[in-house]
Amino acid sequence: MGVALIIIILICAFWPAIVRLLQRFMARRAEDMVRRMAGMPSRKEEKRRRRQQQQQQRQNGSRRHGSPGDPGDGVRAMKEYAEDVAFTEIREFSSDEVIAEEETGKNRRVYREEQVSDAEYVEIKTSSRK
């Protein structure tokens, strides 16, 4: 009887902490379920991938011969992410003018809407990317 009473007292004393733990657990489960339904990886998979990427970055960083401020780093990044496009002048505009009058006829509002219907550009392609 004494052991049951002690257990009940402990549960009552730690009830707020127990509720918080249960809420966090259910929130994590709900998030994983929503991620699964959306086709996204679960939190565990993301954590594992992040760890693998960090290990690969550490390994690649130790193999590199050069300082971190190497000017070649910026050039490599630009080649990797940049798209070369040469834009020319805009070809056509379309303009609409809407005149709205209030019921009293005192105030007139003029709305002008301009929209570009076409822009011409030339994509610059390189022979091969490394």
Side-chain angles (χ1 to χ4, degrees):
M1 183 70 177
V3 174
L5 185 62
I6 291 174
I7 291 174
I8 291 173
I9 291 173
L10 287 175
I11 289 175
C12 290
F14 293 108
W15 185 251
I18 293 170
V19 168
R20 271 187 262 127
L21 284 173
L22 287 173
Q23 285 175 342
R24 284 189 212 137
F25 174 74
M26 294 307 290
R28 284 191 299 262
R29 284 194 58 189
E31 181 183 352
D32 284 340
M33 186 173 60
V34 169
R35 284 174 171 259
R36 206 174 313 118
M37 287 190 296
M40 294 173 56
S42 68
R43 288 178 299 109
K44 283 184 181 178
E45 292 172 4
E46 276 191 359
K47 191 183 259 186
R48 184 171 29 93
R49 286 181 188 169
R50 202 175 308 126
R51 228 179 295 127
Q52 287 175 350
Q53 285 176 349
Q54 287 175 351
Q55 285 177 347
Q56 288 175 353
Q57 286 176 353
R58 275 190 247 124
Q59 289 173 355
N60 291 341
S62 64
R63 292 182 196 160
R64 186 184 300 169
H65 302 291
S67 63
D70 188 16
D73 289 342
V75 174
R76 274 187 241 116
M78 286 193 320
K79 285 181 180 177
E80 186 175 340
Y81 297 111
E83 290 185 25
D84 294 328
V85 177
F87 287 94
T88 60
E89 292 183 24
I90 296 170
R91 280 288 174 125
E92 299 175 17
F93 284 100
S94 65
S95 178
D96 295 331
E97 196 168 302
V98 179
I99 300 174
E101 292 186 22
E102 291 186 6
E103 294 177 12
T104 59
K106 292 181 181 178
N107 296 333
R108 284 179 67 180
R109 291 186 181 176
V110 177
Y111 299 101
R112 288 194 175 90
E113 298 176 359
E114 292 185 359
Q115 185 174 3
V116 177
S117 60
D118 193 17
E120 196 172 296
Y121 67 94
V122 177
E123 186 175 347
I124 301 170
K125 294 184 179 182
T126 58
S127 60
S128 66
R129 285 194 168 184
K130 295 181 181 178

